[in-house]
């Protein structure tokens, strides 16, 4: 399901009209375009909309992924779990470093540290 479709579904489940949701945030046409044509929103607008629907960005992301954790969520739990299970191996640490090299995402480097 696309973001706009999911968002519309969540809004309707809560019986909130587009007019009510966008009040003081944006125009109704901005929300309508997002829901129906999947146009992109700024993160600021999306966060304001989600907040008004009482949904956290993490909850929305989980729903978008059908409840499956993201790659970062998986990686972030792994070092902690492996540490306490005493299975934190050099191979796993190397996989973190490789992920950092491939993505240039400092998140993986911080996990490594």
């Amino acid at each position: 399901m696309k973001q706009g479709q999911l968002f519309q579904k969540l809004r309707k489940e809560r019986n909130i009209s587009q007019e009510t949701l966008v009040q003081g945030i944006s125009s109704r046409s901005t929300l309508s375009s997002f829901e129906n044509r999947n146009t992109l929103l700024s993160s600021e607008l999306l966060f304001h909309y989600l907040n008004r629907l009482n949904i956290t960005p993490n909850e929305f992301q989980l729903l978008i992924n059908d409840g499956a954790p993201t790659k970062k969520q998986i990686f972030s739990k792994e070092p902690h779990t492996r540490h306490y299970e005493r299975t934190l191996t050099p191979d796993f640490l190397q996989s973190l470093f490789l992920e950092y090299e491939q993505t240039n995402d400092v998140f993986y480097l911080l996990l490594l540290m």
Side-chain angles (χ1 to χ4, degrees), residues 7-16 18 35:
F7 192 88
Q8 183 179 52
K9 177 180 177 266
L10 295 169
R11 179 180 58 76
K12 287 181 176 183
E13 285 175 357
R14 287 162 174 73
N15 294 317
I16 298 175
Q18 286 183 338
E35 289 182 347

Side-chain angles (χ1 to χ4, degrees), residues 94-109:
Q94 181 64 27
S95 71
L96 284 174
F97 186 72
L98 288 173
E99 195 64 34
Y100 165 69
E101 283 185 325
Q102 291 171 357
T103 62
N104 253 355
D105 190 337
V106 73
F107 171 82
Y108 298 104
L109 191 58

Side-chain angles (χ1 to χ4, degrees), residues 77-102:
K77 290 180 182 180
E78 194 74 15
H80 182 69
T81 302
R82 285 176 176 257
H83 172 75
Y84 286 103
E85 292 175 350
R86 303 215 185 275
T87 58
L88 193 60
T89 64
D91 288 342
F92 174 72
L93 298 175
Q94 181 64 27
S95 71
L96 284 174
F97 186 72
L98 288 173
E99 195 64 34
Y100 165 69
E101 283 185 325
Q102 291 171 357

Side-chain angles (χ1 to χ4, degrees), residues 34-49:
F34 172 62
E35 289 182 347
N36 298 309
R37 293 191 303 267
N38 281 304
T39 57
L40 297 176
L41 289 178
S42 70
S43 56
E44 181 180 2
L45 271 182
L46 181 60
F47 292 160
H48 282 301
Y49 291 158

Side-chain angles (χ1 to χ4, degrees), residues 66-81:
D66 292 324
T70 64
K71 189 178 196 179
K72 282 186 176 182
Q73 289 169 329
I74 292 168
F75 265 107
S76 67
K77 290 180 182 180
E78 194 74 15
H80 182 69
T81 302

Side-chain angles (χ1 to χ4, degrees), residues 55-67:
I55 299 169
T56 68
N58 285 340
E59 290 170 329
F60 188 66
Q61 184 178 31
L62 273 175
L63 291 170
I64 286 290
N65 295 331
D66 292 324

